[in-house]
Amino acid sequence: MTIRRTHRIPAALLPLVTGLCLSCGGGDSGNAVTPQAPEAVARQLTGLEIVAPRASLRIGQTLAPLVAYGLYDNGTTGTLAASWSSSDEAVASVDAEGVVTGEGAGSAEITASFEMFSSSVVLEVSEPDDRSTRDRPDDFEGPQIHAVYAVPSDREDRNLDRWGDVATSFEAIQNWLAEEIGYRLKLDTYGGELDVSFLRVSFTHQEGDGQAGGLVHGLTDEIEAAMGLDPDKIYAIYYDGRQAGVCGSAPFGGPGAAVYLSCSDATLGADPDEISTFEAVMVHELLHVFRAVDPCAPNHIPGSHVGDDPADLMYTKQDRVQRPEAVIDRGRDDYFGHGRSDCLDTARSRWWEPLPGGRVARLSLAPRVRIPAGDWPIRCGVEEEEHAEPPPD
């Protein structure tokens, strides 16, 4: 999400630029006067715009530098070495580079000033979420998906659970799914809010990477040791580390799906109305846990993916181009909503919650899909050893 605030004032009238005049020399020399190049006219600043990655943060959270852009009379822009200030340092402080830190609950106006121009953006600061290292009591019984934020033993804890990034990521997923297929995931909640467990794993970042395809198993083993594995739950893991070559992995029909946050420069949970790399990868891996794509699908390719539509979320051929969209089984013929009895249809999975009336037209704009170039198609480490007959949904 990019928050922009702009302030403009009329530009002064530009000086008139005279046309070129050619003249001829006299006498016997025969030399012509060389035409003079037009004088360069300096562009003039007409406004100032602030670009902020989001409009809210939590106490203790740092917001990446805000950027001040100058707007010029010739239609160009450029970054400015603006001066930064906060209307309330007790709520949000800002340093000389535009880095904002949440200090206390409330709202504060962050202002950028340059010469005679200034512009402001209002940021809301709230308390961080409570952290839990266990699976808290469920709001409802039955199948559900439990979110986990896992960090290697030697990596910085970025508080993605406490700052709300994981919760916002799943909110974006739910909004997109409602628009795309008319279903939402059955998410594990506690007190009406997404229940996110924090897990500091016992292995280092390098040791995790060394597990290769077994990393998702290592993570679910750690979850089992810390809080147990509920057979009625799938564990959706945002792991703040890497597995070489992939952005996510999941055992086909297994207990958990893992997304590796070191695989991309995308931001987790930047906007509830926008999915990016990590949200797309999470849904992709969860569909593998739901046993997509079955070999009986007409467009199935090795790796439990499809090979017909480059915009399909389950497409993984190597023509890495930026896609303006991501869709779930557009033709409803491979893994979702085909209705065939002889081939697995993930629309019948017990992990979905159908919305009354099916697909919804949201009051706001439809969720945007913004996946950076190089992150599409999804790089997946699915394991296919469990293509056996699925359990009844």
Side-chain angles (χ1 to χ4, degrees):
M1 178 179 185
T2 300
I3 307 299
R4 299 178 183 270
R5 296 291 184 270
T6 305
H7 174 69
R8 296 174 183 266
I9 66 171
L13 293 176
L14 294 175
L16 294 176
V17 181
T18 59
L20 293 177
C21 177
L22 299 179
S23 61
C24 296
D28 297 329
S29 65
N31 293 329
V33 177
T34 303
Q36 299 296 310
E39 293 184 8
V41 178
R43 63 180 183 173
Q44 293 189 333
L45 187 65
T46 63
L48 175 63
E49 179 179 82
I50 295 177
V51 175
R54 61 182 68 191
S56 63
L57 68 163
R58 306 299 179 96
I59 296 173
Q61 185 178 11
T62 297
L63 198 62
L66 278 61
V67 179
Y69 282 97
L71 309 175
Y72 294 92
D73 57 359
N74 63 357
T76 61
T77 63
T79 56
L80 299 174
S83 299
W84 296 94
S85 62
S86 170
S87 64
D88 192 341
E89 293 279 344
V91 173
S93 60
V94 59
D95 67 13
E97 304 300 323
V99 177
V100 179
T101 301
E103 307 289 355
S107 62
E109 193 173 79
I110 305 299
T111 300
S113 301
F114 184 83
E115 295 178 350
M116 67 181 69
F117 299 92
S118 65
S119 183
S120 300
V121 60
V122 175
L123 297 180
E124 300 292 334
V125 182
S126 57
E127 296 284 347
D129 294 337
D130 293 334
R131 167 165 284 178
S132 176
T133 56
R134 60 188 179 88
D135 183 353
R136 290 175 286 199
D138 302 335
D139 284 341
F140 61 93
E141 297 180 350
Q144 49 200 289
I145 296 171
H146 184 77
V148 177
Y149 171 50
V151 182
S153 61
D154 60 340
R155 275 293 182 94
E156 176 189 1
D157 171 12
R158 294 195 290 156
N159 289 288
L160 300 183
D161 55 335
R162 300 181 68 236
W163 299 158
D165 302 81
V166 173
T168 303
S169 177
F170 276 98
E171 183 181 356
I173 286 172
Q174 296 289 65
N175 289 337
W176 179 69
L177 289 171
E179 176 74 21
E180 174 66 18
I181 59 174
Y183 286 67
R184 289 193 177 106
L185 298 168
K186 291 181 180 177
L187 296 179
D188 185 1
T189 60
Y190 169 72
E193 302 293 335
L194 183 72
D195 189 11
V196 184
S197 297
F198 174 75
L199 178 67
R200 174 69 82 171
V201 301
S202 63
F203 48 82
T204 67
H205 178 252
Q206 185 174 2
E207 289 169 343
D209 192 17
Q211 294 184 41
L215 180 53
V216 65
H217 295 290
L219 291 168
T220 53
D221 287 347
E222 295 269 335
I223 293 171
E224 183 173 25
M227 64 189 80
L229 292 177
D230 187 327
D232 268 341
K233 293 187 177 180
I234 291 172
Y235 294 86
I237 309 160
Y238 281 126
Y239 174 66
D240 220 346
R242 72 186 295 269
Q243 179 181 331
V246 299
C247 272
S249 60
F252 196 82
V259 176
Y260 308 122
L261 300 181
S262 293
C263 84
S264 171
D265 292 331
T267 300
L268 178 71
D271 186 340
D273 286 321
E274 178 177 305
I275 68 164
S276 189
T277 300
F278 301 126
E279 290 77 32
V281 175
M282 179 58 78
V283 178
H284 179 108
E285 300 305 337
L286 286 172
L287 283 167
H288 281 316
V289 176
F290 299 171
R291 297 176 177 271
V293 175
D294 198 293
C296 57
N299 297 296
H300 173 273
I301 62 174
S304 295
H305 296 115
V306 296
D308 61 327
D309 183 357
D312 198 298
L313 193 68
M314 304 305 287
Y315 180 90
T316 58
K317 289 184 178 179
Q318 297 304 306
D319 49 343
R320 298 203 178 281
V321 295
Q322 174 69 17
R323 302 299 306 180
E325 59 178 336
V327 298
I328 292 178
D329 202 1
R330 194 198 306 269
R332 298 291 187 262
D333 58 350
D334 285 311
Y335 60 91
F336 186 90
H338 54 69
R340 292 167 51 193
S341 60
D342 62 338
C343 195
L344 187 136
D345 183 353
T346 61
R348 294 194 289 261
S349 172
R350 63 192 186 120
W351 310 103
W352 292 122
E353 179 182 18
L355 298 179
R359 293 172 62 177
V360 297
R362 302 179 66 226
L363 296 179
S364 61
L365 294 175
R368 300 175 296 272
V369 178
R370 297 195 179 184
I371 300 175
D375 287 353
W376 189 270
I378 288 168
R379 301 187 296 276
C380 170
V382 68
E383 299 177 22
E384 299 184 276
E385 73 276 14
E386 295 186 43
H387 268 290
E389 191 68 26
D393 290 338

